[in-house]
Amino acid sequence: MNSPLRSSEVWATAADPELAVTTRGAVPPADVTRAVRGIGRVLRRHHLDAAARVRVTAPVDADEPTLVQANIRIHDTPTRVQVTGPRGFAVTFAVERLDRQIARLATKQSREWPDPARPPLARVTEPRPIVRRKHCALLTGTPAEATAVLDAMDYDAYLFIDAETGEDAVVSWADSLGIQMARQRTTIAPEAPTDRPLTVNSLPVIMTAQPAPTLLEEAAVTRLCRNGLPFLFFTDADTGRGRLLYRRYDGDLTIVIPVG
């Protein structure tokens, strides 16, 4: 019987683009094989000669779901899927999701929300720790451009600089076919495109009624956890910049911090 893999493995074959599979925790070797074969088939089906990076994270508790993330580039555009599932099935779910993602992006079809494969990570808890700080140079663009990144990267929320106002802002998916947008101060909705097909670049934008709250980081953590929010966009009281705090699959938190 093979022992579970606990390190990073890099796979390359003559038939497939290079596939880098990183494992975390007690990941069975069969899951690595499923990832290499399944994602290789998807790339060939869509005629993509692209490298892929896959991360499979096994939980400490065997009853908890396995997390799988796959990153590729489609014609220089970064693309990602992230999904959870039971051991032995999570990789298959990720392969199927990547297949649908590539097909949908090629035709600029908008996704449906809520997504049954990605239920919001919203639950009431005591304050959890911030275990990762992502310092990012933000995109400066329109809500449509930010939504395109939100969609391609399989995010639930995306922090960017709104080109119209110069404010930090967030876009997220809204029920059932639209985009929720929040800016630091301005609550007037951007001008909606007209006479265009309904794609991820022309979904209706719903503005939040209130500006982003100004909070210290500790207060933001408390608000997110005790209100059962999947994410929280706020203005940092110390720096005046927008920040995006969100819950991870393991229940802990990540914060996105603008740089530059």
Side-chain angles (χ1 to χ4, degrees), residues 87-152:
R87 175 179 293 187
F89 292 92
V91 170
T92 300
F93 294 165
V95 169
E96 293 172 349
R97 188 174 184 85
L98 182 63
D99 191 19
R100 294 192 300 269
Q101 175 91 320
I102 295 171
R104 196 173 48 73
L105 291 175
T107 57
K108 299 186 182 301
Q109 296 177 357
S110 59
R111 73 173 63 212
E112 294 184 359
W113 191 265
D115 184 342
R118 289 281 300 278
L121 299 174
R123 59 183 182 272
V124 176
T125 66
E126 289 300 309
R128 299 294 294 266
I130 296 175
V131 297
R132 185 179 181 193
R133 295 175 178 272
K134 297 173 66 174
H135 293 81
C136 300
L138 302 186
L139 164 77
T140 299
T142 65
E145 291 169 331
T147 300
V149 178
L150 173 81
D151 188 43

Side-chain angles (χ1 to χ4, degrees), residues 84-238:
T84 61
R87 175 179 293 187
F89 292 92
V91 170
T92 300
F93 294 165
V95 169
E96 293 172 349
R97 188 174 184 85
L98 182 63
D99 191 19
R100 294 192 300 269
Q101 175 91 320
I102 295 171
R104 196 173 48 73
L105 291 175
T107 57
K108 299 186 182 301
Q109 296 177 357
S110 59
R111 73 173 63 212
E112 294 184 359
W113 191 265
D115 184 342
R118 289 281 300 278
L121 299 174
R123 59 183 182 272
V124 176
T125 66
E126 289 300 309
R128 299 294 294 266
I130 296 175
V131 297
R132 185 179 181 193
R133 295 175 178 272
K134 297 173 66 174
H135 293 81
C136 300
L138 302 186
L139 164 77
T140 299
T142 65
E145 291 169 331
T147 300
V149 178
L150 173 81
D151 188 43
M153 294 300 289
D154 209 12
Y155 294 146
D156 293 339
Y158 178 64
L159 179 66
F160 72 108
I161 299 173
D162 176 47
E164 181 180 350
T165 62
E167 299 173 26
D168 294 328
V170 158
V171 288
S172 59
W173 300 110
D175 299 344
S176 60
L177 195 63
I179 297 298
Q180 185 86 28
M181 179 174 174
R183 299 189 187 101
Q184 287 183 282
R185 295 172 293 276
T186 305
T187 59
I188 300 174
E191 184 176 351
T194 58
D195 301 325
R196 292 173 60 184
L198 195 63
T199 70
V200 294
N201 294 319
S202 62
L203 291 175
V205 176
I206 304 164
M207 284 299 302
T208 57
Q210 301 293 329
T214 299
L215 301 168
L216 293 171
E217 192 173 278
E218 183 178 355
V221 168
T222 299
R223 180 177 294 199
L224 180 144
C225 292
R226 292 186 174 170
N227 290 343
L229 304 175
F231 64 87
L232 176 65
F233 171 56
F234 67 100
T235 295
D236 180 64
D238 289 330

Side-chain angles (χ1 to χ4, degrees), residues 21-35:
V21 180
T22 302
T23 61
R24 296 180 179 176
V27 177
D31 277 353
V32 175
T33 302
R34 288 189 187 97

